[in-house]
Amino acid sequence: MSSTPPEPAIEWPVIDLPLPPPGTMGPPEQYGWLRRQCPLAQVRLPAGATAWYATRYEDVRDLIADPRLIRPTINDWPPRHDRAADDEPGLITMMELDGPRHAALRRALAEPFSVRSIRRRLPRLRRSADRLLDEFVAGGQPGDLVGGFLEPFPLLAMCELVGIPYEDREYFLPRADAALGAILTLDEGRQVTAQLRDYIASLLDRKRRERADDILTELVHACGRGSLDGESVVNFGLSMLVAGYRTSTMFLGDAVVALLTVPGQYARLRDDRGVMPGAVEELLRFIPVMNGVVVLQAVEDIELHGRRIRAGDAVLPVLASANRDERVFADADRLDLCRADNPHLTFGRGAHNCIGAHLARAQLTVGLQALLDRFPDLRVPDGHHPTWDDESPSKSPLTLPVSWCATDAA
């Protein structure tokens, strides 16, 4: 009895890294087609390398927790032949740490980033938000909400909690953004590594001499008790500089854009604060910040969808696509502030799930509450539009002009 031979595997060409449509936060238009037709595609990255681009929910969920995939540093990937053996240590954050050092650091951070600890900080977060909004209002309308509030609020919250001087932001912000954007500007990201490490090292020296109520101070003294090593504390400091505030800034900015541009959503949240917890989860799912920004590297061969990811290959599990997967989320492309079943993957999964998830939720909640209370009639004035960096795979508004009174100011 003859059997039907299997259909030959389709060899899809390498595609360019999907980007959001110009003038929008996204997501990229290719997501739906990729999930249906080519759930594991090969993409060209601006840095000159290729990577596997995974878009389905179940694949992304499994890949981000797969021990056969590690997070490479920007100094180690893509590989280069000009790196000397005695180079300075690379830009290693908590995402690149594994094993006992990673476990010890997460244990030390469990309490400061716990729900209980973050809840105690809510009044302080709200005072910071209100102070920034006082200054923003004083500038008159229309005003740029990004520069006046959406950028500084998550940064100020992170600085106060961690112990990074907010007044140093003009030094560390451009360098941290260069490191975070290394998928686009690899050489620039590598060049700032030593500068960021030196900044954190000098800050930790100060913490050893001057006690303060912040996480870095506690970690420095935990080193003195032998429960942590000094390099792990540097790794944590680099994590906070590079990613500890920027994703929160992007989520808050995109959340406000979504609420103001999807009809009725801002008023819905303004008039019924009881939906806020679910609305925050839905905004975290809906907003496509996590578009191809998680780069992993295989340490052994992996088979997926009939294709072989070889040891050394880069893999991009696209959380933003997984969060729009119609197999998991009903009407996935619609913002539903009352969505009940919402197992989004925004904060990752497994050993490297985001330790700052509770802080990120608190910043988004408090930031939105402060805006809703202060500006019940917030809107983008006629003839004004947000501006975007259309070269970036992950986008939030660069500027967001808003008015907040019933009649626009002249």
Side-chain angles (χ1 to χ4, degrees):
M1 182 177 179
S2 61
S3 59
T4 303
E7 295 184 7
I10 298 174
E11 288 296 327
W12 295 107
V14 179
I15 63 174
D16 291 329
L17 179 69
L19 296 176
T24 75
M25 73 177 74
E29 295 170 344
Q30 299 98 315
Y31 276 178
W33 181 87
L34 286 167
R35 286 193 300 267
R36 291 188 302 272
Q37 302 295 332
C38 189
L40 186 66
Q42 277 195 294
V43 298
R44 281 183 290 268
L45 302 180
T50 60
W52 295 101
Y53 195 79
T55 48
R56 285 184 184 170
Y57 181 93
E58 64 269 21
D59 296 333
V60 172
R61 178 197 60 201
D62 293 344
L63 288 169
I64 57 179
D66 194 322
R68 295 172 296 178
L69 292 167
I70 62 170
R71 179 78 170 244
T73 74
I74 64 172
N75 292 70
D76 295 327
W77 185 89
R80 56 175 176 164
H81 303 293
D82 61 339
R83 186 178 182 190
D86 59 348
D87 270 2
E88 291 294 321
L91 184 64
I92 299 175
T93 70
M94 288 185 68
M95 289 298 296
E96 291 83 37
L97 278 184
D98 278 306
R101 289 182 59 227
H102 178 251
L105 183 55
R106 287 190 73 101
R107 283 195 300 271
L109 294 170
E111 174 56 25
F113 282 103
S114 68
V115 173
R116 180 177 58 183
S117 292
I118 299 303
R119 189 177 294 128
R120 285 199 301 265
R121 301 190 70 87
L122 291 178
R124 187 172 179 178
L125 279 174
R126 182 56 191 261
R127 287 194 297 271
S128 295
D130 288 338
R131 184 172 71 252
L132 288 169
L133 289 176
D134 287 342
E135 296 171 0
F136 175 64
V137 170
Q141 63 173 323
D144 173 27
L145 195 61
V146 171
F149 181 69
L150 302 176
E151 287 270 354
F153 173 60
L155 177 61
L156 180 60
M158 184 276 291
C159 285
E160 290 181 344
L161 175 65
V162 174
I164 296 173
Y166 182 69
E167 57 271 22
D168 290 351
R169 62 192 180 278
E170 290 188 6
Y171 176 81
F172 66 72
L173 277 179
R175 291 163 175 82
D177 282 344
L180 188 62
I183 194 171
L184 295 176
T185 54
L186 182 62
D187 289 340
E188 185 181 353
R190 284 171 168 168
Q191 288 167 8
V192 301
T193 296
Q195 297 168 13
L196 291 172
R197 286 185 59 87
D198 288 346
Y199 174 76
I200 289 295
S202 66
L203 182 57
L204 295 179
D205 285 340
R206 262 186 282 166
K207 300 292 182 183
R208 292 184 185 94
R209 300 189 302 270
E210 306 166 6
R211 292 216 51 136
D213 180 20
D214 60 58
I215 294 176
L216 283 178
T217 298
E218 290 304 314
L219 293 181
V220 163
H221 290 278
C223 288
R225 297 190 296 270
S227 53
L228 274 182
D229 65 276
E231 183 62 20
S232 294
V233 183
V234 172
N235 299 149
F236 169 72
L238 290 170
S239 300
M240 294 298 100
L241 278 184
V242 174
Y245 71 93
R246 181 53 74 193
T247 49
S248 294
T249 294
M250 297 178 78
F251 271 109
L252 181 57
D254 283 344
V256 174
V257 170
L259 291 171
L260 292 178
T261 56
V262 179
Q265 298 305 298
Y266 190 83
R268 175 79 173 87
L269 198 54
R270 178 195 65 201
D271 297 339
D272 184 2
R273 302 302 178 83
V275 305
M276 180 67 80
V280 165
E281 296 306 312
E282 173 66 350
L283 289 164
L284 288 167
R285 178 199 73 85
F286 180 81
I287 293 167
V289 165
M290 306 303 288
N291 174 43
V293 295
V294 176
V295 181
L296 303 177
Q297 190 172 25
V299 295
E300 60 182 86
D301 289 1
I302 300 171
E303 295 284 342
L304 183 63
H305 295 296
R307 311 190 79 173
R308 176 171 292 179
I309 301 169
R310 298 187 181 278
D313 286 355
V315 179
L316 273 62
V318 189
L319 277 64
S321 175
N323 286 342
R324 296 291 187 103
D325 194 330
E326 53 283 335
R327 298 169 182 80
V328 177
F329 303 98
D331 205 0
D333 288 327
R334 181 171 69 90
L335 178 64
D336 179 3
L337 299 183
C338 295
R339 187 179 296 273
D341 187 17
N342 198 346
H344 66 76
L345 297 174
T346 299
F347 294 121
R349 181 171 170 266
H352 286 283
N353 67 301
C354 178
I355 198 166
H358 300 309
L359 176 61
R361 289 185 171 100
Q363 290 173 342
L364 187 52
T365 301
V366 172
L368 291 176
Q369 287 172 336
L371 287 170
L372 293 162
D373 289 344
R374 182 66 66 95
F375 305 131
D377 298 309
L378 190 70
R379 66 197 177 282
V380 179
D382 292 342
H384 294 74
H385 305 280
T387 60
W388 306 87
D389 175 7
D390 286 326
E391 300 301 314
S392 176
S394 298
K395 293 167 61 176
S396 63
L398 300 176
T399 63
L400 178 58
V402 295
S403 293
W404 50 88
C405 294
T407 302
D408 287 350

